[in-house]
Amino acid sequence: METEYPDAPEAADATFRRAYCLEDLGQHKEALKVVKKLEKSGRWSASDALTLSLAQGIVELRSGKRGKGIKRIVRALEGVENSNAQTWIRSKARVALMRAQLNEAASLKLTCRWFTVRRLTARARLMAAAEAQARAAFRLGEPAYALEGLVLLGDAYVQLSRDMLEPPI
Protein backbone atom coordinates (compact mmCIF):
# COMPACT_ATOMS: atom_id res chain seq x y z
CA MET A 1 0.00 0.00 0.00
CA GLU A 2 1.30 3.42 -0.97
CA THR A 3 1.13 6.25 1.54
CA GLU A 4 0.37 9.69 0.14
CA TYR A 5 1.40 13.05 1.52
CA PRO A 6 -0.70 15.52 -0.47
CA ASP A 7 0.62 18.66 1.23
CA ALA A 8 4.32 17.81 1.04
CA PRO A 9 5.99 19.56 -1.93
CA GLU A 10 8.55 16.76 -2.10
CA ALA A 11 5.89 14.09 -2.62
CA ALA A 12 5.42 14.72 -6.34
CA ASP A 13 9.18 14.81 -6.90
CA ALA A 14 9.67 11.56 -5.00
CA THR A 15 6.86 9.92 -6.93
CA PHE A 16 8.39 11.08 -10.23
CA ARG A 17 11.76 9.64 -9.19
CA ARG A 18 10.02 6.36 -8.38
CA ALA A 19 8.53 6.27 -11.90
CA TYR A 20 11.95 7.06 -13.36
CA CYS A 21 13.54 4.19 -11.40
CA LEU A 22 10.77 1.76 -12.38
CA GLU A 23 11.32 2.65 -16.05
CA ASP A 24 15.07 2.11 -15.72
CA LEU A 25 14.39 -1.27 -14.10
CA GLY A 26 12.28 -2.32 -17.07
CA GLN A 27 8.99 -2.17 -15.17
CA HIS A 28 7.42 -0.01 -17.85
CA LYS A 29 3.76 -0.72 -17.15
CA GLU A 30 4.15 0.07 -13.45
CA ALA A 31 6.08 3.24 -14.33
CA LEU A 32 3.29 4.27 -16.69
CA LYS A 33 0.72 3.90 -13.90
CA VAL A 34 2.80 6.14 -11.62
CA VAL A 35 3.29 8.77 -14.35
CA LYS A 36 -0.41 8.84 -15.19
CA LYS A 37 -1.21 9.28 -11.51
CA LEU A 38 1.23 12.19 -11.34
CA GLU A 39 -0.29 13.74 -14.44
CA LYS A 40 -3.74 13.69 -12.86
CA SER A 41 -2.47 15.48 -9.73
CA GLY A 42 -1.89 18.63 -11.82
CA ARG A 43 0.60 20.28 -9.45
CA TRP A 44 3.32 21.15 -11.96
CA SER A 45 5.26 24.14 -13.22
CA ALA A 46 5.77 24.47 -16.99
CA SER A 47 9.22 22.92 -16.63
CA ASP A 48 7.84 20.03 -14.59
CA ALA A 49 5.07 19.54 -17.14
CA LEU A 50 7.68 19.17 -19.90
CA THR A 51 9.58 16.62 -17.84
CA LEU A 52 6.41 14.71 -17.03
CA SER A 53 5.25 14.71 -20.65
CA LEU A 54 8.61 13.42 -21.90
CA ALA A 55 8.77 10.82 -19.15
CA GLN A 56 5.27 9.63 -20.02
CA GLY A 57 6.20 9.41 -23.71
CA ILE A 58 9.34 7.42 -22.90
CA VAL A 59 7.43 5.01 -20.67
CA GLU A 60 4.64 4.62 -23.24
CA LEU A 61 7.19 3.92 -25.94
CA ARG A 62 9.06 1.36 -23.88
CA SER A 63 5.86 -0.32 -22.65
CA GLY A 64 4.72 -1.10 -26.19
CA LYS A 65 2.54 1.93 -26.90
CA ARG A 66 4.88 2.96 -29.70
CA GLY A 67 2.73 5.40 -31.67
CA LYS A 68 1.35 7.14 -28.61
CA GLY A 69 4.80 7.47 -27.03
CA ILE A 70 6.43 8.83 -30.18
CA LYS A 71 3.68 11.41 -30.69
CA ARG A 72 3.91 12.58 -27.08
CA ILE A 73 7.71 12.90 -27.20
CA VAL A 74 7.76 14.72 -30.54
CA ARG A 75 5.02 17.11 -29.41
CA ALA A 76 6.86 17.91 -26.16
CA LEU A 77 10.22 18.37 -27.90
CA GLU A 78 8.81 20.76 -30.52
CA GLY A 79 8.19 23.50 -28.00
CA VAL A 80 11.65 23.50 -26.43
CA GLU A 81 13.98 22.89 -29.34
CA ASN A 82 16.11 26.02 -28.86
CA SER A 83 16.11 26.15 -25.07
CA ASN A 84 18.43 24.81 -22.39
CA ALA A 85 15.58 23.56 -20.22
CA GLN A 86 15.53 20.00 -18.92
CA THR A 87 18.38 18.74 -21.10
CA TRP A 88 18.66 15.42 -19.26
CA ILE A 89 15.08 14.29 -19.96
CA ARG A 90 15.18 15.68 -23.49
CA SER A 91 18.33 13.63 -24.14
CA LYS A 92 16.72 10.55 -22.62
CA ALA A 93 13.66 11.08 -24.84
CA ARG A 94 15.80 11.41 -27.96
CA VAL A 95 17.61 8.18 -27.10
CA ALA A 96 14.23 6.49 -26.59
CA LEU A 97 13.20 7.65 -30.07
CA MET A 98 16.52 6.36 -31.41
CA ARG A 99 15.97 2.99 -29.82
CA ALA A 100 12.50 2.75 -31.39
CA GLN A 101 13.82 3.72 -34.83
CA LEU A 102 16.72 1.30 -34.63
CA ASN A 103 14.47 -1.54 -33.44
CA GLU A 104 12.15 -0.92 -36.37
CA ALA A 105 15.14 -0.81 -38.73
CA ALA A 106 16.45 -4.12 -37.37
CA SER A 107 13.05 -5.72 -37.87
CA LEU A 108 13.36 -5.15 -41.63
CA LYS A 109 15.06 -8.38 -42.61
CA LEU A 110 17.23 -8.35 -45.72
CA THR A 111 17.09 -12.07 -46.41
CA CYS A 112 14.08 -11.99 -48.75
CA ARG A 113 15.33 -11.81 -52.33
CA TRP A 114 12.35 -9.84 -53.68
CA PHE A 115 12.21 -6.98 -51.23
CA THR A 116 15.85 -6.54 -50.25
CA VAL A 117 16.44 -3.17 -51.95
CA ARG A 118 13.17 -1.71 -50.65
CA ARG A 119 13.86 -2.93 -47.11
CA LEU A 120 17.48 -1.77 -47.20
CA THR A 121 16.31 1.69 -48.31
CA ALA A 122 13.73 1.83 -45.51
CA ARG A 123 16.29 0.61 -43.01
CA ALA A 124 18.79 3.27 -44.15
CA ARG A 125 16.16 6.00 -43.68
CA LEU A 126 15.36 4.80 -40.16
CA MET A 127 19.04 4.62 -39.25
CA ALA A 128 19.61 8.14 -40.64
CA ALA A 129 16.70 9.40 -38.53
CA ALA A 130 18.23 7.69 -35.49
CA GLU A 131 21.56 9.39 -36.25
CA ALA A 132 19.77 12.75 -36.30
CA GLN A 133 18.33 11.98 -32.86
CA ALA A 134 21.83 11.04 -31.65
CA ARG A 135 23.23 14.37 -32.89
CA ALA A 136 20.42 16.26 -31.16
CA ALA A 137 21.03 14.35 -27.92
CA PHE A 138 24.76 15.00 -28.20
CA ARG A 139 24.18 18.77 -28.64
CA LEU A 140 22.23 18.83 -25.38
CA GLY A 141 25.46 18.09 -23.52
CA GLU A 142 24.36 15.08 -21.50
CA PRO A 143 27.31 12.66 -21.78
CA ALA A 144 25.55 9.54 -20.49
CA TYR A 145 22.79 9.77 -23.09
CA ALA A 146 25.19 10.83 -25.85
CA LEU A 147 27.27 7.74 -25.15
CA GLU A 148 24.20 5.50 -25.00
CA GLY A 149 23.11 6.87 -28.38
CA LEU A 150 26.52 6.21 -29.92
CA VAL A 151 26.55 2.65 -28.58
CA LEU A 152 23.06 2.03 -29.98
CA LEU A 153 24.14 3.34 -33.38
CA GLY A 154 27.33 1.29 -33.38
CA ASP A 155 25.40 -1.87 -32.52
CA ALA A 156 22.88 -1.12 -35.28
CA TYR A 157 25.64 -0.76 -37.88
CA VAL A 158 27.26 -4.00 -36.75
CA GLN A 159 23.89 -5.75 -37.07
CA LEU A 160 23.33 -4.22 -40.51
CA SER A 161 26.72 -5.54 -41.60
CA ARG A 162 25.86 -9.02 -40.36
CA ASP A 163 22.46 -8.92 -42.03
CA MET A 164 23.98 -7.85 -45.33
CA LEU A 165 26.45 -10.73 -45.26
CA GLU A 166 23.70 -13.34 -44.83
CA PRO A 167 22.80 -14.99 -48.12
CA PRO A 168 19.24 -14.30 -49.34
CA ILE A 169 16.66 -17.05 -49.09
Side-chain angles (χ1 to χ4, degrees):
M1 185 164 91
E2 188 175 311
T3 305
E4 294 187 32
Y5 302 94
D7 298 331
E10 299 84 15
D13 186 53
T15 305
F16 176 79
R17 290 175 190 272
R18 179 173 179 261
Y20 184 81
C21 290
L22 287 168
E23 193 270 326
D24 275 353
L25 291 170
Q27 298 178 10
H28 307 300
K29 290 184 181 180
E30 183 63 29
L32 188 56
K33 288 178 189 175
V34 173
V35 169
K36 284 182 177 183
K37 183 178 176 184
L38 278 171
E39 184 182 38
K40 287 178 184 174
S41 76
R43 287 184 252 144
W44 298 100
S45 67
S47 178
D48 289 340
L50 169 67
T51 301
L52 185 60
S53 183
L54 288 172
Q56 185 171 355
I58 292 165
V59 171
E60 286 170 342
L61 187 57
R62 303 227 25 220
S63 68
K65 297 179 179 180
R66 189 177 181 282
K68 196 173 188 177
I70 289 171
K71 284 179 187 175
R72 187 178 307 278
I73 291 170
V74 169
R75 192 173 37 238
L77 288 174
E78 284 174 349
V80 293
E81 196 58 43
N82 295 320
S83 91
N84 291 328
Q86 306 295 352
T87 56
W88 69 274
I89 192 71
R90 288 169 48 206
S91 293
K92 183 177 175 88
R94 292 207 176 268
V95 169
L97 288 174
M98 267 185 76
R99 183 176 284 110
Q101 290 165 327
L102 293 173
N103 286 341
E104 185 178 343
S107 74
L108 298 171
K109 301 299 179 197
L110 305 177
T111 55
C112 177
R113 207 174 271 195
W114 303 107
F115 300 107
T116 301
V117 173
R118 189 177 307 160
R119 288 180 182 176
L120 184 57
T121 302
R123 196 162 169 176
R125 281 192 194 116
L126 285 164
M127 291 176 76
E131 282 183 39
Q133 294 297 335
R135 283 191 298 277
F138 188 77
R139 283 191 298 271
L140 290 170
E142 297 291 335
Y145 295 113
L147 180 60
E148 184 178 351
L150 290 173
V151 169
L152 287 170
L153 275 175
D155 290 346
Y157 279 111
V158 168
Q159 187 60 51
L160 176 63
S161 170
R162 288 182 185 143
D163 291 349
M164 291 180 74
L165 292 173
E166 284 184 25
I169 296 174

